[in-house]
Every structure is written in C-alpha cells, then in structure tokens.
Amino acid sequence: MWRCGGVRWQQEGAYWVWWHPRHGRRTSPLRVGGPVGFALGPDAERLCGGVWRAGRRIPCAEEAVLDARARRDQCEPCAALDRSASVAADTVPGDPRPYAVYLASFGVGLHKVGITSAARGGLRLLEQAAVCSAFLGEGPLMTARRTEAVLGAALRLPDRVRDTAKRAARHQLPPTAERRAELAALYAEAAGLRDRLPEALRLRPFQYDDHTASFGLDADPPPSAPASAISELVPGGALVGTVTVAAGHDLVVDAPSGAVLLDTRLTCGWPLARSSSSPGAPFPSTPAPRSTPPPQPLF
C-alpha cells in the first residue's frame, strides 16, 4: 500500500512524495492551478514513515500509528533517530560541506536569518515558504552557525517564523519593488557588521530572489485567502478542488465549499486514494485566523 510522504520542493516546483514498504519511493507533480483530489477509505490508518537516510527508508520498528492532528510524520523513537544525524539539531558539527547564510522575508517586517547547505541553493527557501530572499555569504558549518547567532542578536532577527504569521502575511504582500528595497536594506545592515562576523565567512554580493511565482502568489488578482483550515484527515473524508497557492508545506485549495488551507504535513503516513469527485464528507476544518495589519518595516 502506497502512503503519502507529504510535499517536497525542487527548483521546478512542488511535488508529492509517496512511499511503499516494499517498492520504496516515488513522486508525482503538484501544480499551482492544477487539480487535487484524494480520499481516505473507512478503515484507513496513519502510520509512521520511519527514517530516511541517503535516499533509503529505515522502517519504523513499531509500525506506530500516528495521531491525525500531528504535524510530523514520525513517532518519537524515529524522530529521535532522525535527530541523531541532523544539522538542524547540531549533532553533526563536523559536516565538511560549505553552508550558506540567508536572509528570508515572509512579508512586510517579517524576516529571519538561517543557514542551509550551499549545494541546496534556494530549495530551503521554497520549503520554508519565503516570499523573497537573499544570501549573505557562505563558509564552514560552524562559521555559518556563528554568523546566524551574531545577526540574530545584533539585528533582532529570529531563526524561525511561525506558520500563522507567514500565512497572514502572504495574502497582503506589497509590490515587488518594496519587497526588494526592504530586503536590500536588511542585507546592507547585515553586511555592515563584517567586523563582527567570522573571518571565514565569504560574503556574497546582494542578489534578490523572488519566490512569489513559484507559490502562485503573483496572480492578478491575487488568490483569495482561505476561509477555513483542515484540522485533520479522517477515514471516510475527501478533498477535491484546484490548487491556488502552494507555499512550503501549505496548499490553498479552491474547493466546492470555498478556499481551504491544507497543511500537507497532515497527509503524511495516510494511504490517500485518488478522487476526482468527492465520495465522502469534507475533512474536519476550523475557521482560518483573520489576517492582521502587517508590521511596520524594520528599515
């Protein structure tokens, strides 16, 4: 039985991941403006996805059943095994690969600093649903970590932004020129701290990367903000509609009942069946949080 592994990104766009206990891994495209339709059978269970290492899956030893509202696709023992070889968890400080330090923007005044392996390029920004971004520089892993810490303290930049803030901001974006100017000012502030940054950091010239087209946020008129958000997937439920926004792990789907938000992390571990017309009830949902006025620019 094929199970969903959620949504991932490549430079060409988003795609669905699927895994099977014997046949391994496969993918299928996900296109903004394209259809989405899936359903769950009445006896469906959501199972832990195990751990992936070097493209190979280590099955969950317990075949654990996951809670329908969980935002991760692993049970606690598998998550602990995953963290044992994780750059994000600082368990591999000797990683020899070069790392890049980036500045990401999710809307007016909503920024963060982060690091990613230089080889991954902008994929990390697409995964995080950054509306626009710029790379500051690159160097060894611990150099990148130190730079991240200095910028966080000096410019009050967080290393993460809550999903709720990202979702509210992406539907009330200013024009491209304003987004670029705000990020350029932030880059200038960061580069101006050169004497406080590690010597091993190699600065990059400012280059603005805009990701709105990849997410479907450049449409005219802009896509509608969702009125509701799916809270969990349940056996017997279904979702059918058209994808209007795909940003990070979020989809906005134009469904028969209106625009609905799907956090695709909720799909991981479920045996989703293809559906072109709704054979069951819609999945449970809650009203989406109302958008608040964007914060004032930092600069």
Side-chain angles (χ1 to χ4, degrees):
M1 179 182 295
W2 287 95
R3 293 182 178 273
C4 186
V7 167
R8 299 291 186 272
W9 284 84
Q10 56 190 2
Q11 294 296 345
E12 293 76 17
Y15 60 94
W16 291 100
V17 173
W18 309 90
W19 60 267
H20 190 282
R22 292 193 308 276
H23 302 305
R25 181 179 183 271
R26 66 180 176 87
T27 64
S28 58
L30 171 62
R31 186 175 61 84
V32 173
V36 62
F38 57 79
L40 284 174
D43 300 319
E45 282 189 318
R46 187 186 188 194
L47 299 184
C48 172
V51 177
W52 289 88
R53 291 280 172 81
R56 300 185 65 179
R57 176 175 172 268
I58 303 173
C60 176
E62 305 295 330
E63 294 188 337
V65 176
L66 301 181
D67 184 271
R69 291 176 178 261
R71 255 60 176 183
R72 69 181 184 190
D73 61 351
Q74 295 172 311
C75 64
E76 189 52 48
C78 285
L81 178 59
D82 220 4
R83 288 193 296 270
S84 68
S86 168
V87 170
D90 286 330
T91 55
V92 285
D95 190 331
R97 297 175 297 172
Y99 276 78
V101 181
Y102 62 81
L103 303 169
S105 174
F106 303 90
V108 176
L110 196 62
H111 306 101
K112 66 159 284 186
V113 60
I115 72 171
T116 184
S117 66
R120 296 193 72 216
L123 287 182
R124 184 62 177 150
L125 286 309
L126 295 174
E127 292 169 351
Q128 292 193 17
V131 171
C132 56
S133 62
F135 285 100
L136 177 68
E138 64 180 69
L141 173 58
M142 299 316 292
T143 292
R145 276 279 184 239
R146 174 61 179 164
T147 301
E148 181 184 41
V150 170
L151 295 181
L155 301 180
R156 300 190 304 278
L157 286 174
D159 60 3
R160 64 186 61 194
V161 175
R162 291 182 177 274
D163 284 338
T164 50
K166 295 179 185 179
R167 290 163 181 163
R170 72 172 62 121
H171 287 283
Q172 45 186 350
L173 296 175
T176 303
E178 293 182 22
R179 300 197 300 268
R180 180 188 177 95
E182 188 177 11
L183 194 60
L186 181 60
Y187 172 92
E189 287 283 320
L193 298 171
R194 186 66 185 98
D195 59 340
R196 297 171 57 181
L197 301 178
E199 291 184 4
L201 181 74
R202 299 183 297 277
L203 287 179
R204 294 188 187 182
F206 177 72
Q207 179 176 325
Y208 174 80
D209 292 314
D210 193 287
H211 310 294
T212 53
S214 297
F215 300 152
L217 295 173
D218 64 337
D220 186 16
S224 300
S228 61
I230 292 175
S231 54
E232 61 183 308
L233 271 59
V234 296
L239 174 66
V240 175
T242 301
V243 177
T244 59
V245 174
H249 50 70
D250 285 346
L251 299 184
V252 177
V253 178
D254 186 9
S257 58
V260 61
L261 171 72
L262 171 64
D263 183 336
T264 58
R265 293 175 296 184
L266 293 173
T267 66
C268 295
W270 285 109
L272 302 181
R274 184 176 298 176
S275 176
S276 57
S277 60
S278 179
F283 293 117
S285 63
T286 58
R290 291 185 177 181
S291 298
T292 57
Q296 294 300 309
L298 290 177
F299 307 101

